[in-house]
Structures are given as C-alpha cells and as structure tokens.
C-alpha cells in the first residue's frame, strides 16, 4: 500500500513522451510495486493532444496508474512532484542560429526551474531530455538555487546505451555482459564514449575486441552520429529509444546501479576530472538509490583526455552564450 509517486513529464504530447508515459505507467521506471500519478505539462496549443495521450493511458488500464492531470501551467504541473522529466524543448528551425536556439530554450527552462523550486516535493529529482539537454539543465538548475544542485541532471544515457549496443554487436556478448563503460561530456557530436575501463565478462574490452583502431575511430563516430543515422532511416528522430534511456536513467537513480558496474549521467560538476564547477557534463556514475556518485580516479589516455577537453570546451562556450543572454 505504498502512496503514489508524482511524476511530471513536459512535452507530453510529443514523440518521446508517447513512448515514455506508457513505460512509466507500466511500472518500468520506479518498480512494479510503486503506484504513480502523472502530471503532463504542455504548451496551450498542444494541451488537447496531450489529453488524447492521457485518454490512451486511461484505456491501457495500468494497475499502477493512480491519476493523470494535463495542464499548461508549470506551477500546477510541478506541484508536489518527486520526479520531473523535462522533455519539451524548442527545436532548431530553419534560419535559427545557436544563440537563437539557446535563448528560446532558456525561456523554457528558466521558468520551469523556478516552478520546480517553488512547487516540487523536497525530494525532487530532475532529468532534462530536451536539447540542448546539458545546457538546458544548467539553466533550470541556475533558476532553482535552493534545490540541491545534484538533483538536476541531463540525459546521456541514450549515448551510453548506443555505445553498449555497438559493443554488444561487435563482441557478440549480450549488453548485460559488458560493464564499466561511460560517455564523457556533452550530448552532441563532441561526446566521448570511453571503453578504456570496460569489461566483457570481466575481461578488458580492448583485449576482447583487439582492434584499437576501430574503438578509437569508427566506433566512437558511430555512437556520436547515431541520432543522425536514426533520422535518416526512420524519417524522424529517436523517440522510443530516448524514452527507454530516460526510464533507465531514473530507475538507476532511484533504485541503484548494479554492484561493481557504473553508468553515465550528466551532472552539475563539482570539479571532478578537472571539469569546471557547475557545467552539466556526462561522467561515470553509480547510484545507491539516493544520489548519484561520480566514479573518481579513473585514468584517461592522452587521446581520451584531449577529446574530453574539447567536449568540455563546447559546454563552456554554451554556458558563456547563455550567460551573455542573461539566462543564468
Ligand atoms: P516533439 O517535438 O515530438 O515533442 C516536443 C513537445 O514539447 C511538443 O509537444 C511541444 O509542444 C512540447 N513543448 C515545447 N515547449 C514546451 C514547454 N515550454 N512546456 C511544455 N511542453 C513544451 O519532440 P520529441 O521527439 O519528443 O523530442 C523532445 C526533445 O528531446 C527534443 O528537444 C529532442 O531534441 C530531445 N532529444 C534528446 C535526446 C537526449 O539524448 N538527450 C535524444 C532524443 C531527442 O532528440
């Protein structure tokens, strides 16, 4: 007889949410015994569409789903929420440059950060999925100074899962036999999948694959450009896989990671690995079910470090851009 956990999803009428909401309501995110209450936030023009999704959620008759509210009011959407998944964002349109994109998203994530600080439950945990995810999380976090910084995260789990899938393909080992992999930095082409500590059935992955040239080149590129490959094949951007990664991220955060293994999440930096404080960067993490903990002290090859420096430089320039726009 657990009381329901309130979960807020923004961009509820969109593609990712159409996959995500059903997984949450089925109990795949918080566990098979935990009832959930959904709060769906949309912009006015899309509230009716989100209500359609809510009707289908009703019709799926999920035993764990204890209620759904649809709203365009952020204060109502985040009221008493413990898990906030921020999917809705402003997509890049023809003729928009990077500053326009960052500014448009700043106007979304600043107010949402404030609404979370003012209304959410004291234990709130936030996952930003909407792009540019790392910098949107930085903006939301800056607007909620009274909420502990480590409650704001951005999604790098899709990048992580894409790397796992490529390695499983290459080695023939199931994804569950590959451990200790992570992806550094920004959810962009500059991301750095790092296999230097990875194990396959407990053996160093580099030994098992025995092809450093592939790991350092084509593998890395295949992971970083997978989003574009999906768009080309499907004619639409990743949706169900992104939803699945969001489920994985929140589930591991709330229920804990596998003993001996780690995963990837983007967290506000506390300075580990020389990443400037506050930048929301992908790092290796474990969770004990309470909080994420950065796996510290991992060695980096010269090549990996050079690539980390580049992805961190990109995050720094995004931070400078939103700071210049007055969004921090
Ligand atoms: P859609 O365009 O299908 O849906 C987005 C929804 O957000 C729309 O219904 C829109 O009305 C809503 N929205 C816009 N502004 C809002 C606001 N202020 N409050 C509430 N809702 C708002 O996009 P979808 O395919 O679902 O993708 C959503 C976001 O995820 C995009 O920004 C996309 O770039 C990003 N992604 C992030 C990934 C990651 O790994 N971090 C991977 C997948 C995806 O590309």
């Amino acid at each position: 007889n657990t009381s329901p956990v309130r979960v807020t999803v923004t961009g509820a009428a969109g593609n990712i949410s159409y996959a995500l909401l059903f997984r949450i309501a089925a109990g795949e995110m918080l566990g098979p015994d935990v009832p959930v209450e959904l709060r769906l936030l949309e912009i006015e023009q899309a509230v009716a569409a989100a209500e359609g999704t809510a009707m289908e959620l009703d019709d799926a008759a999920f035993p764990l789903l204890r209620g759904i509210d649809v709203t365009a009011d952020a204060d109502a959407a985040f009221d008493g929420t413990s898990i906030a998944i921020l999917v809705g964002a402003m997509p890049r349109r023809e003729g928009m440059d990077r500053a326009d994109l960052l500014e448009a998203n700043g106007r979304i994530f600043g107010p949402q950060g404030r609404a979370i600080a003012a209304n959410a439950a004291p234990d709130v945990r936030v996952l930003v999925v909407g792009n540019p995810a790392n910098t949107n999380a930085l903006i939301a976090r800056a607007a909620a100074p009274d909420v502990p910084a480590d409650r704001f995260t951005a999604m790098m789990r899709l990048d992580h899962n894409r790397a796992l899938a490529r390695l499983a393909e290459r080695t023939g080992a199931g994804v569950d036999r590959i451990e200790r992999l992570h992806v550094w930095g920004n959810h962009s082409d500059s991301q750095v999948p790092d296999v230097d500590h990875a194990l396959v059935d407990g053996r160093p992955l580099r030994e098992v694959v025995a092809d450093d040239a592939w790991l350092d080149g084509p593998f890395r590129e295949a992971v970083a450009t997978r989003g574009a490959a999906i768009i080309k094949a499907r004619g639409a951007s990743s949706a169900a896989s992104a939803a699945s990664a969001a489920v994985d991220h929140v589930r591991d955060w709330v229920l804990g990671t596998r003993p001996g293994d780690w995963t990837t999440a983007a967290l506000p930096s506390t300075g580990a690995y020389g990443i400037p404080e506050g930048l929301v960067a992908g790092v290796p993490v474990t969770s004990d079910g309470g909080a994420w903990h950065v796996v510290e002290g991992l060695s980096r090859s010269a090549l990996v470090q050079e690539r980390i420096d580049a992805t961190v430089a990109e995050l720094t320039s995004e931070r400078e851009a939103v700071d210049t726009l007055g969004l921090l």
Side-chain angles (χ1 to χ4, degrees):
N1 252 347
T2 338
S3 51
V5 175
R6 191 167 292 174
V7 177
T8 303
V9 175
T10 76
N15 287 306
I16 293 176
S17 294
Y18 193 68
L20 175 62
L21 289 164
F22 290 82
R23 302 276 309 269
I24 298 171
E28 292 175 40
M29 186 172 81
L30 299 177
D33 306 318
V34 182
V36 293
E37 249 174 46
L38 290 171
R39 290 281 164 104
L40 312 188
L41 181 66
E42 255 300 348
I43 52 174
E44 285 293 353
Q45 307 90 285
V47 162
E51 276 165 354
T53 301
M55 287 161 69
E56 283 203 74
L57 282 160
D58 275 339
D59 293 351
F62 289 114
L64 292 171
L65 183 56
R66 298 296 156 80
I68 315 174
D69 273 336
V70 184
T71 177
D73 174 25
D75 289 326
F78 293 115
D79 180 40
T81 207
S82 292
I83 308 283
I85 308 181
L86 310 186
V87 181
M90 177 67 81
R92 193 189 282 267
R93 299 228 170 83
E94 272 304 299
M96 239 188 184
D97 65 17
R98 199 174 67 127
D100 297 335
L101 183 75
L102 289 169
E103 179 159 30
N105 280 292
R107 309 248 166 269
I108 296 174
F109 289 86
Q112 289 185 359
R114 276 191 290 283
I116 287 168
N119 300 284
D123 67 351
V124 67
R125 307 187 204 212
V126 182
L127 169 62
V128 176
V129 175
N131 281 320
N134 303 55
T135 295
N136 287 341
L138 177 86
I139 293 167
R141 189 271 162 283
D146 295 338
V147 179
D150 65 356
R151 307 292 186 77
F152 284 87
T153 65
M155 193 164 90
M156 295 286 289
R157 187 60 175 263
L158 181 56
D159 309 291
H160 178 98
N161 286 349
R162 285 168 171 167
L164 254 184
R166 297 293 79 68
L167 295 171
E169 225 164 60
R170 174 77 186 213
T171 59
V175 285
D176 57 334
R177 288 163 51 196
I178 302 171
E179 294 177 297
R180 303 196 176 190
L181 167 76
H182 53 280
V183 184
W184 300 98
N186 201 3
H187 170 67
S188 77
D189 292 355
S190 72
Q191 65 181 261
V192 188
D194 186 346
V195 298
D196 288 348
H197 302 270
L199 303 174
V200 183
D201 293 328
R203 276 184 62 202
L205 179 129
R206 279 197 184 268
E207 258 176 55
V208 174
V209 172
D211 187 349
D212 288 337
W214 180 78
L215 286 169
D216 295 335
F219 161 71
R220 195 197 74 86
E221 280 141 37
V223 173
T225 60
R226 183 71 165 181
I230 299 281
I231 292 174
K232 188 156 177 259
R234 220 171 77 82
S237 64
S238 314
S241 56
S244 199
V247 167
D248 288 347
H249 177 113
V250 174
R251 187 199 57 229
D252 282 359
W253 194 357
V254 171
L255 299 176
T257 41
R258 291 198 297 185
D261 197 5
W262 63 70
T263 185
T264 305
L267 312 180
S269 176
T270 53
Y273 295 105
I275 299 169
E277 226 176 301
L279 284 187
V280 179
V283 285
V285 289
T286 60
S287 166
D288 52 19
W292 291 116
H293 301 284
V294 178
V295 179
E296 298 210 40
L298 296 178
S299 60
R300 279 95 63 221
S301 68
L303 178 67
V304 165
Q305 187 60 53
E306 190 184 303
R307 288 172 171 169
I308 293 175
D309 292 346
T311 192
V312 166
E314 184 181 63
L315 287 168
T316 302
S317 82
E318 287 182 17
R319 174 159 72 180
E320 283 165 6
V322 294
D323 196 16
T324 307
L325 293 165
L327 297 169
L328 292 184

